[in-house]
Amino acid sequence: MTKAAVPFHEILQHQGNYSHEEFLRARAEKVLAVSATVLYQRGHEDIAALLAQSESYALDFQEEDWGKPWYEMIVDFDHPQLERFTNETEQRVLTVMQEVCEREEFSITKVRARAILPVVGTDWRQQLSTGGGARPSNHARKVRLGPMHPQADGLHFTNEWELRVYTVLRERQLALPDNDTLGIIPLSAMKVREHVFEPDLLVTYRGCAGVIEVDGPHHKGRSSDDKSRERLLRHAGVKYIDRIDVRDVSTKEEAEKFVTDFLRHLAG
């Protein structure tokens, strides 16, 4: 197991085996996880879900008072989530985090939500000059200014596995008659109540909408979030949702079988 994959409680229990930065990150994750759970239990499901969508988090040392270090909790969000982090939300989160830290050897002075900056590649000048990423768009808004990523038919994909599934869907699309075709929308941004989702692939077929999620190794342990997200998508009119692990897209035959089953359930 790599250090990046070590659970935070393991790092906190064996601090001597890890760097100070890794220890602080684990400490921040514990505070965030416990606080989000407490908020959920107290009926603030919206705030708990918002914290769960944070892209990164960190503790920034402020001062030491009576032997206790005080930190600012910094939580990074994509823009749609950042807009929901109001002053009222910030105060509610801070109150719970301070309650959580009463049992720890440190405390939180402030919670600050911060916007995620784009990760740009060496070709950023070319992308901007050609309009490839000049303005945000609903399609692949997170990847268009990033390092090189797969593209096909003028569409953007996060990784090669999403492209493999798209390739099979595209072949099925070409094999269908014009009056019985399907639509393929990669990485669209979808607003559902207080959430903004980005399904890997949104597929329309025979009057129905379906979602395909391509799960990578990082996805482990997120089944609870997945169920909440899928429930909201179904309530918004998405008929069928299915997931495929990247390990199951190693051959084209596996991708074809998945797509066949997906379309059968979507149109069934």
Side-chain angles (χ1 to χ4, degrees):
M1 180 183 294
T2 64
K3 286 191 174 183
V6 177
F8 67 83
H9 56 77
E10 173 71 18
I11 298 176
L12 295 176
Q13 290 174 4
H14 302 92
Q15 178 183 355
N17 297 334
Y18 302 91
S19 68
H20 182 64
E21 290 73 19
E22 290 169 325
F23 175 74
L24 275 185
R25 178 172 175 79
R27 175 177 272 184
E29 184 177 0
K30 179 182 177 182
V31 172
L32 190 71
V34 176
S35 299
T37 303
V38 170
L39 285 162
Y40 182 87
Q41 292 173 341
R42 294 178 181 176
H44 301 292
E45 294 93 340
D46 54 339
I47 301 179
L50 177 60
L51 292 179
Q53 293 180 61
S54 60
E55 296 286 341
S56 58
Y57 38 83
L59 288 174
D60 184 27
F61 177 77
Q62 301 295 298
E63 61 179 351
E64 184 169 318
D65 188 25
W66 292 89
K68 174 182 285 191
W70 290 74
Y71 297 91
E72 179 183 46
M73 172 68 82
I74 302 173
V75 188
D76 293 334
F77 292 100
D78 202 0
H79 185 68
Q81 285 73 40
L82 184 64
E83 289 184 326
R84 294 167 48 208
F85 206 89
T86 62
N87 291 335
E88 181 182 352
T89 298
E90 176 185 322
Q91 188 56 50
R92 195 178 296 278
V93 171
L94 175 61
T95 299
V96 172
M97 285 188 173
Q98 289 177 334
E99 179 183 343
V100 170
C101 289
E102 285 180 1
R103 298 165 173 80
E104 305 290 344
E105 299 176 351
F106 67 100
S107 193
I108 306 293
T109 61
K110 181 182 179 182
V111 177
R112 176 159 59 97
R114 190 170 61 178
I116 297 171
L117 297 178
V119 179
V120 299
T122 56
D123 61 343
W124 65 273
R125 288 184 174 86
Q126 179 183 0
Q127 289 195 28
L128 292 176
S129 63
T130 59
R135 291 184 298 273
S137 77
N138 279 355
H139 172 61
R141 58 196 172 95
K142 287 185 180 179
V143 302
R144 294 186 69 179
L145 278 177
M148 293 302 294
H149 55 271
Q151 299 182 47
D153 301 325
L155 301 172
H156 301 255
F157 303 87
T158 306
N159 51 56
E160 62 180 294
W161 297 285
E162 290 177 11
L163 177 59
R164 290 177 187 178
V165 177
Y166 168 80
T167 300
V168 174
L169 284 167
R170 173 66 172 148
E171 290 176 356
R172 296 295 174 87
Q173 184 186 65
L174 292 173
L176 292 170
D178 291 345
N179 62 353
D180 187 32
T181 190
L182 56 89
I184 315 166
I185 308 100
L187 298 178
S188 58
M190 178 187 297
K191 177 73 170 175
V192 182
R193 295 184 66 83
E194 299 303 319
H195 304 273
V196 174
F197 297 129
E198 287 192 4
D200 293 337
L201 292 159
L202 177 65
V203 179
T204 57
Y205 183 49
R206 295 184 178 178
C208 300
V211 162
I212 295 175
E213 297 287 7
V214 183
D215 295 339
H218 64 282
H219 196 81
K220 185 177 180 181
R222 292 172 52 184
S223 59
S224 178
D225 292 341
D226 293 340
K227 290 178 181 177
S228 298
R229 167 191 170 107
E230 290 173 6
R231 183 169 58 252
L232 285 172
L233 289 174
R234 284 194 295 271
H235 290 169
V238 176
K239 178 184 177 183
Y240 184 64
I241 304 164
D242 203 355
R243 321 188 75 88
I244 183 169
D245 192 290
V246 294
R247 292 168 295 186
D248 297 327
V249 200
S250 58
T251 68
K252 187 175 182 181
E253 290 73 18
E254 291 168 332
E256 289 175 335
K257 182 180 183 302
F258 173 84
V259 167
T260 297
D261 292 341
F262 175 82
L263 293 177
R264 177 171 55 83
H265 282 93
L266 181 58

